Amino acid sequence: MFKPHVTVACVVHAQGKFLVVEETIRGKALWNQPAGHLEADETLLQAAKRELWEETGIRAEPQHFIRMHQWLAPDRTPFLRFLFAVELNEMCATEPHDSDIDCCHWVTADEILNATNLRSPLVAESIRCYQTGKRLPLEIIAEFNWPFTGDA
């Protein structure tokens, strides 16, 4: 049976800049969106909010769904990555709570698109998807008969 890794990511935008998280992997500082794996007993939206807070210290709600990417990493690991948009009124201070995150940076789209230190090509692709302006309502992603949120 095919079992891809399910991940979530947030394109965080404020005042013309985008938030990237920096982590050191094999001695190299790499940029990513606030992102991570879906955990047991949580919805995709809960995972996105949790990862955003853990990696940046920002408590915010995604406003839109941008895209789902089906991706094979260079090591052939399969992923389904759900991408959300988080629009903030202003760039805010960050305080990562995840020990894997070294720091966060507010940068321009061009800085991301031209960076040589991206964790994966999906980081730049996420910005390109954001730049198209296509947004989907969060309601297209819904849990059904989900016992963990009290909605069932």
Side-chain angles (χ1 to χ4, degrees), residues 6 21 76 79 91 106 108 139:
V6 177
V21 299
R76 307 294 291 163
F79 285 88
M91 292 179 284
W106 288 98
T108 65
E139 292 78 26

Side-chain angles (χ1 to χ4, degrees), residues 20 28 30-31 107-120 123-124:
V20 293
K28 186 171 182 183
L30 300 177
W31 286 0
V107 296
T108 65
D110 284 342
E111 287 175 288
I112 294 170
L113 296 173
N114 294 307
T116 58
N117 64 327
L118 301 180
R119 173 134 187 215
S120 83
V123 179

Side-chain angles (χ1 to χ4, degrees), residues 43-63:
T43 66
L44 291 166
L45 276 173
Q46 288 169 336
K49 291 189 295 187
R50 176 185 51 76
E51 288 292 347
L52 179 62
W53 182 82
E54 287 178 0
E55 295 195 355
T56 70
I58 296 172
R59 290 197 187 273
E61 299 280 333
Q63 291 95 2

Side-chain angles (χ1 to χ4, degrees), residues 35-111:
H37 284 83
L38 176 69
E39 299 291 340
D41 303 342
E42 72 181 352
T43 66
L44 291 166
L45 276 173
Q46 288 169 336
K49 291 189 295 187
R50 176 185 51 76
E51 288 292 347
L52 179 62
W53 182 82
E54 287 178 0
E55 295 195 355
T56 70
I58 296 172
R59 290 197 187 273
E61 299 280 333
Q63 291 95 2
H64 298 97
F65 178 67
I66 299 175
R67 178 170 284 173
M68 191 275 294
H69 288 101
Q70 185 173 354
W71 183 61
L72 276 177
D75 68 358
R76 307 294 291 163
T77 301
F79 285 88
L80 296 177
R81 186 178 195 248
F82 292 81
L83 183 63
F84 297 91
V86 176
E87 293 287 343
L88 301 175
N89 291 328
E90 56 188 33
M91 292 179 284
C92 54
T94 58
E95 183 183 342
H97 298 278
D98 182 332
S99 61
D100 290 338
I101 304 301
D102 300 326
C103 60
C104 303
H105 305 282
W106 288 98
V107 296
T108 65
D110 284 342
E111 287 175 288

